[in-house]
Amino acid sequence: MTMPHENSPLLTCGLSSLLSGLGQDGQDEPLDVDSNLGDPATSRARSLNTFFGVIVPTVLSMFSIVLFLRTGFVIGHAGLFHSLIMLGVAYVIISMTILSICAISTNGAIQAGGAYFMISRSLGPEFGGSIGLMFYLANVCGCGVYVLGLVEAILDSYGQEAGSSAAVLPGGYWFGVLYSSVVLLVCMLVCLVGSHLYTRASFLILLVVTVTLLSIIISTLVLGPIPISLNHPGETPNSTHVYNTSYTGFNLTTLKNNLKPGYTLDYSTSTIMTFASVFAVMFNGCTGIMAGANMSGELKNPSVSIPKGTIIAVAYTFIVYLLFFLLVSSTCDRALLVQDYGFLRRVNVWPPFVTLGIYCSALSAAMSTLIGASRILHALALDQLFGRLLAPASITTQAGNPWVAVLYTWALVQCVVFAGQLNSITSLVTVFYLLAYAAVDLACLALEWASAPNFSLVTVFYLLAYAAVDLACLALEWASAPNFRPTFQFFSWHSCLLGIVGSVVMMFVIEPLFSSASIALLLLLLLFIHYRSATSSWGYISQALIFHQVRKYLLMLDVRKEHVKFWRPQVLLMVSNPRSSCQLISFVNQLKKGGLFVLGHVHLGDLDSMTADPVQAQYQHWLSLVDLLEVKAFVDLTLSSSVRQGTQHLLRITGLGGMKPNTLILGFYDNCVPDDYFLQDPVFYGGASTLNVDLPSLQAHFPPVRNHESPWRLGPEEYVGMVRDAIKMGKNVCLARYFHQLQPLGGAGVTQLIDVWPLNLLRPESGGFVDVCSLFLLQLACVLNMAAAWRHARMRIFLCVEADSQGEGAWPGAGWLQKEAELRELLQKLRIRASIQVVMWEVGTTETAVMEEGGGSSSRRRAATPGGGDVGGGGEDGESGGWARTAPHVSPDFLLSVNDMLRENSAQADVRFLYLPRPPAPADQSHTYLAQLEAVTHELGPTLLVHGLTPVTCTEL
């Protein structure tokens, strides 16, 4: 189901097609999906693979102009030692951000918008919109940097001021703007055609750049020393500075001279370089890590392509940068590096190779940032966070190309180009990217019109963008939401925090003023979006984080902002006598996944006949019990004339705001005599606890456990009525049996087993496993598997399918294989790790068969069909509202056979999750209903019968 204005479906189209092909008999309610996902235009738009959609644009964006035009600049001023430190710091920052990108991008479906989409859907519209706009501005300024860098390289070769024989292009400010505008126009035309032309052009450019890199490496091996004379205009008219330097080839003396830093005057800016200013230049070669993520709307499988392609591209560029640093430091005189940006052309076996590489890499980077920025702007326009100002940017061609967003971006880049020179804006772009990176890892206003290239602002922008990605991932990790299950797991909150701190620190090291201005602008945008935009259905990470905070933040937990992505169990466990329920209390504490856990108890009585409320005095004993059991639970007690009525009261009034129980858990109703846990655990009788608890008083307060002669506090009709009441009130219901047999966990060499049977066992012919109740069953088992004590447990899911008739003794054909493949695909989409066991139901021949996934032994056994052929029990057919008119007519032989099958296949399990059918509507059918449940679970071991009503699984971010 989707919310208004929501662009992201609850389930992906792949899961939609999966559901449509499965039988859904017995489904409580349909699972809606967004029909737009099946649109042919959308399918056509998603056509890029990992190589063309991620690796190629990322590699070219990271090389850009820095590799060819600023490698010597970095080594010449900083020396090899400082250069390697800069390279290490830069790649540590982007590596932490990449880990966050990979985690977020593999945690569900990703649509167009790249980093903006991931941040906004993780942190909400305020952070997403503000960081998205900053990241868009970073790409706009970055595109201007690459265009101006390309023009600078062209004028160095063919400008009249270059003094070469091919000097045909006039120089000057306006001619520079003209050349930049022509280059930008070419980039715009390519982007208007669409991503397909861009990817083809990028691949050809990558081939050219690769040949250029090889030529540079080969040149260092084959060329001997070359004397070089350099001329630069002096401070006075008609004066010239002449520098006699050389290319020495591999030389140990050259390497020693280039080891230490030697920050000096930059010939293009006439300013003294520092570590920060040189790092700002060098970091621009690391700002293309999101080029592939920005193409998320055109990728066939973005959750696979983005992490895989980005990691490969970054590893490749790191190796190339490291190799270039070592080669340049070992072969070039320091004066050559400091006084000539384009020295690589002078020391190449064929200089046009380098010239062509510079032109191609700069042109590709410009196209990459232009098309990436247009995708971000398009996503911002679709989300309507900035009103009518960006509304036209949502217009696309029939093939899905946002051509209006491309025109918007082109116009803004054209304004940047009027800065006229490369170093005038690169500092701005650096600030933007650093700020955006900081917010990504957590979750610029001033523009310096200098007379020469300045990368600082560009770098700050990029660092801000990287911090934003790390922030989003850190918030999801700290929120501990059950649906944050990225398939990429090589990250932690430590890496996110390190990325945030690194980005923010380097921002202020590079440009304190611009960094402060950028953060101020970010906060203003955040407040603007917060007060202007309507409530979003993306899900708010703040709601997941506030859940862990103290009472004063409870009012911030808005029930109108609840979202399936951040669903977690909020349990009301009804306890009659904790003496017999301690194991169950501890188990539910592991099942809650950071959610609300309330121990409920009903004290029978009438307040009118009492002088004081007896419940108030009991709280202290119950809280002491919580302390002794070391569970994170609240206690809620009530006084009522009946247990059923008291349970209704607790279901209605327990909790506040968004912290209210959504699941009711009851102990099973049977004739078993419970054990007294207080007599088994030394904590309750031996004084082993270090807590300040009055153990004798606690022992005396709770009455002895029930025996055969003890009267029941409630009858079968009242018990089943409690189940029926909870379902009517929209609460999920679990019945727990045999949890007093739950063995202590954590034994050395012992693997726990969690068995899940997502099928109404009283209606096996339904064969479905994708109704709401079954998916709720899977989610609860997955939540338990995420708990610390159960983290290493193995989950097994039993898939019950109707066997194909192929004669006695023959295994069925492809029917069960198809069901197994569908279930495996569903588990993959839901990121649930489990093995599958296929259970064959042969209702016609009254046989069942079991075979484990991946082969192995199988067994076949006779099973009686339900009497009269009327296999009910789910309660999904019958009267309106989903209630059965009567309890299902099921033969005792059938129930015995089901129980035998469960005991045989789940005998080794530590806990079992079974499908709980709806109870029948008539109260006089309660005995039959309970008898059927008792027969199915007889001597089965710890078992949780589950009936879920609410959707809880999600494939989105």
Side-chain angles (χ1 to χ4, degrees), residues 466-487:
Y466 292 167
V469 176
D470 288 331
L471 173 60
C473 190
L474 180 66
L476 289 172
E477 178 71 5
W478 278 355
S480 190
N483 280 305
F484 182 55
R485 299 193 296 268
T487 56

Side-chain angles (χ1 to χ4, degrees), residues 603-616 639-641:
H603 186 93
L604 296 179
D606 186 0
L607 191 60
D608 288 340
S609 61
M610 299 178 180
T611 58
D613 184 5
V615 169
Q616 300 302 319
L639 180 69
S640 180
S641 58

Side-chain angles (χ1 to χ4, degrees), residues 727-809:
I727 294 177
K728 289 180 180 178
M729 297 168 70
K731 308 297 183 182
N732 311 294
V733 180
C734 301
L735 306 183
R737 191 177 192 191
Y738 293 124
F739 274 89
H740 63 279
Q741 300 178 4
L742 186 64
Q743 298 298 319
L745 302 177
V750 178
T751 301
Q752 289 86 30
L753 289 178
I754 302 174
D755 283 1
V756 184
W757 295 78
L759 171 75
N760 185 350
L761 292 173
L762 299 183
R763 191 174 182 177
E765 84 284 359
S766 65
F769 53 86
V770 293
D771 60 2
V772 172
C773 185
S774 296
L775 292 177
F776 184 88
L777 200 72
L778 289 172
Q779 181 78 340
L780 273 191
C782 183
V783 167
L784 179 64
N785 203 188
M786 296 170 72
W790 295 87
R791 186 167 298 161
H792 302 292
R794 176 190 173 199
M795 192 184 338
R796 302 187 301 180
I797 299 178
F798 289 81
L799 172 61
C800 300
V801 297
E802 184 176 352
D804 298 333
S805 179
Q806 293 190 358
E808 183 66 20

Side-chain angles (χ1 to χ4, degrees), residues 572-576 600-602 604 640 642-651 663-669 713-735 883 916 919-921 923 926 929-930 949:
L572 172 63
L573 172 62
M574 297 302 300
V575 179
S576 174
H601 175 76
V602 179
L604 296 179
S640 180
S642 69
V643 176
R644 180 180 180 182
Q645 188 178 60
T647 303
Q648 290 181 11
H649 294 165
L650 292 178
L651 283 174
T663 303
L664 173 67
I665 299 183
L666 304 173
F668 197 81
Y669 190 97
R713 299 180 73 236
L714 72 166
E717 294 83 3
E718 188 176 9
Y719 179 87
V720 177
M722 292 165 58
V723 177
R724 192 183 302 111
D725 294 341
I727 294 177
K728 289 180 180 178
M729 297 168 70
K731 308 297 183 182
N732 311 294
V733 180
C734 301
L735 306 183
W883 299 101
L916 175 66
S926 300
Y929 177 74
L930 289 177
L949 297 176

Side-chain angles (χ1 to χ4, degrees), residues 26 57 85 153 206 208 285 326 353 360 403 414 464 503 512 515 520 547 576 578 595 621 652 689 744 943 948:
I85 292 175
L206 180 62
V208 174
L326 295 175
F353 267 138
C360 289
W403 64 274
Q414 184 64 56
L464 181 60
S503 297
S515 299
F547 208 91
S576 174
H621 300 288
R652 293 185 186 279
S689 174
T943 303

Side-chain angles (χ1 to χ4, degrees), residues 593-911:
K593 184 54 179 176
L596 179 67
F597 180 22
V598 180
L599 299 179
H601 175 76
V602 179
H603 186 93
L604 296 179
D606 186 0
L607 191 60
D608 288 340
S609 61
M610 299 178 180
T611 58
D613 184 5
V615 169
Q616 300 302 319
Q618 298 180 18
Y619 271 99
Q620 184 61 40
H621 300 288
W622 282 86
L623 293 175
S624 298
L625 174 71
V626 169
D627 292 338
L628 287 172
L629 293 176
E630 297 182 348
V631 297
K632 297 179 180 179
F634 297 95
V635 175
D636 210 350
L637 312 178
T638 189
L639 180 69
S640 180
S641 58
S642 69
V643 176
R644 180 180 180 182
Q645 188 178 60
T647 303
Q648 290 181 11
H649 294 165
L650 292 178
L651 283 174
R652 293 185 186 279
I653 66 176
T654 297
L656 288 173
M659 295 184 67
K660 295 186 70 68
N662 55 35
T663 303
L664 173 67
I665 299 183
L666 304 173
F668 197 81
Y669 190 97
D670 56 24
N671 294 320
C672 296
V673 177
D675 296 329
D676 191 341
Y677 189 78
F678 282 16
L679 301 179
Q680 300 175 8
D681 194 335
V683 171
F684 289 91
Y685 66 84
S689 174
T690 59
L691 300 174
N692 186 19
V693 176
D694 186 357
L695 290 177
S697 176
L698 185 67
Q699 290 274 9
H701 173 73
F702 296 107
V705 297
R706 177 179 54 83
N707 54 40
H708 287 296
E709 290 75 29
S710 301
W712 287 83
R713 299 180 73 236
L714 72 166
E717 294 83 3
E718 188 176 9
Y719 179 87
V720 177
M722 292 165 58
V723 177
R724 192 183 302 111
D725 294 341
I727 294 177
K728 289 180 180 178
M729 297 168 70
K731 308 297 183 182
N732 311 294
V733 180
C734 301
L735 306 183
R737 191 177 192 191
Y738 293 124
F739 274 89
H740 63 279
Q741 300 178 4
L742 186 64
Q743 298 298 319
L745 302 177
V750 178
T751 301
Q752 289 86 30
L753 289 178
I754 302 174
D755 283 1
V756 184
W757 295 78
L759 171 75
N760 185 350
L761 292 173
L762 299 183
R763 191 174 182 177
E765 84 284 359
S766 65
F769 53 86
V770 293
D771 60 2
V772 172
C773 185
S774 296
L775 292 177
F776 184 88
L777 200 72
L778 289 172
Q779 181 78 340
L780 273 191
C782 183
V783 167
L784 179 64
N785 203 188
M786 296 170 72
W790 295 87
R791 186 167 298 161
H792 302 292
R794 176 190 173 199
M795 192 184 338
R796 302 187 301 180
I797 299 178
F798 289 81
L799 172 61
C800 300
V801 297
E802 184 176 352
D804 298 333
S805 179
Q806 293 190 358
E808 183 66 20
W811 277 103
W816 71 271
L817 292 173
Q818 180 182 358
K819 291 283 186 179
E820 182 187 15
E822 292 169 343
L823 177 57
R824 187 180 296 107
E825 183 180 354
L826 174 63
L827 296 179
Q828 182 179 4
K829 290 180 179 294
L830 296 177
R831 307 171 304 285
I832 296 177
R833 298 179 180 178
S835 61
I836 300 174
Q837 286 191 337
V838 179
V839 181
M840 301 299 176
W841 291 88
E842 300 188 11
V843 178
T845 59
T846 67
E847 291 184 331
T848 64
V850 180
M851 184 174 73
E852 186 168 359
E853 178 191 22
S857 60
S858 62
S859 62
R860 299 176 66 85
R861 59 200 315 34
R862 306 293 295 182
T865 55
D870 179 18
V871 187
E876 289 77 6
D877 55 345
E879 295 179 351
S880 61
W883 299 101
R885 294 187 180 92
T886 61
H889 180 59
V890 181
S891 68
D893 289 339
F894 175 80
L895 296 174
L896 179 61
S897 177
V898 172
N899 178 252
D900 289 342
M901 180 189 65
L902 291 173
R903 292 170 60 184
E904 176 180 346
N905 294 284
S906 289
Q908 304 301 321
D910 293 85
V911 66

Side-chain angles (χ1 to χ4, degrees), residues 265-538:
L265 191 72
D266 179 33
Y267 75 89
S268 66
T269 62
S270 298
T271 57
I272 300 296
M273 293 292 99
T274 63
F275 182 94
S277 59
V278 174
F279 177 82
V281 174
M282 195 281 302
F283 191 82
N284 271 261
C286 308
T287 55
I289 62 173
M290 294 186 185
N294 289 338
M295 302 297 293
S296 58
E298 285 81 15
L299 295 174
K300 292 179 182 177
N301 193 346
S303 294
V304 173
S305 297
I306 291 175
K308 181 179 179 181
T310 304
I311 291 175
I312 293 174
V314 170
Y316 172 69
T317 57
F318 176 79
I319 293 173
V320 172
Y321 273 115
L322 183 61
L323 180 61
F324 265 50
F325 279 13
L326 295 175
L327 291 177
V328 170
S329 301
S330 304
T331 59
C332 297
D333 184 78
R334 191 159 209 150
L336 173 63
L337 301 179
V338 172
Q339 302 300 330
D340 188 9
Y341 290 156
F343 76 98
L344 289 175
R345 285 184 293 235
R346 301 177 183 271
V347 296
N348 196 274
V349 290
W350 193 52
F353 267 138
V354 178
T355 301
L356 191 60
I358 294 172
Y359 294 171
C360 289
S361 61
L363 183 63
S364 173
M367 289 191 297
S368 176
T369 50
L370 182 62
I371 198 170
S374 65
R375 268 47 179 180
I376 296 173
L377 183 63
H378 175 65
L380 284 167
L382 288 177
D383 290 335
Q384 303 177 6
L385 297 180
F386 295 94
R388 296 181 180 180
L389 179 63
L390 299 182
S394 62
I395 301 174
T396 64
T397 64
Q398 194 171 18
N401 185 32
W403 64 274
V404 177
V406 173
L407 293 178
Y408 267 46
T409 307
W410 166 80
L412 287 178
V413 177
Q414 184 64 56
C415 294
V416 173
V417 163
F418 279 101
Q421 292 186 353
L422 178 60
N423 285 354
S424 301
I425 57 172
T426 48
S427 294
L428 179 64
V429 178
T430 299
V431 171
F432 271 133
Y433 274 101
L434 281 172
L435 183 59
Y437 291 173
V440 173
D441 281 333
L442 182 70
C444 278
L445 186 59
L447 178 61
E448 183 181 31
W449 303 108
S451 59
N454 184 345
F455 288 82
S456 299
L457 292 181
V458 182
T459 303
V460 171
F461 279 149
Y462 273 107
L463 284 173
L464 181 60
Y466 292 167
V469 176
D470 288 331
L471 173 60
C473 190
L474 180 66
L476 289 172
E477 178 71 5
W478 278 355
S480 190
N483 280 305
F484 182 55
R485 299 193 296 268
T487 56
F488 183 90
Q489 297 186 356
F490 297 96
F491 80 102
S492 68
W493 68 269
H494 305 84
S495 64
C496 300
L497 191 58
L498 179 60
I500 295 171
V501 172
S503 297
V504 173
V505 168
M506 293 312 301
M507 282 170 52
F508 284 91
V509 168
I510 294 170
E511 287 289 348
L513 177 62
F514 298 146
S515 299
S516 302
S518 299
I519 294 177
L521 176 59
L522 173 66
L523 294 176
L524 289 175
L525 290 172
L526 190 150
L527 293 174
F528 170 79
I529 299 175
H530 175 75
Y531 287 107
R532 184 213 165 274
S533 63
T535 300
S536 168
S537 60
W538 302 341

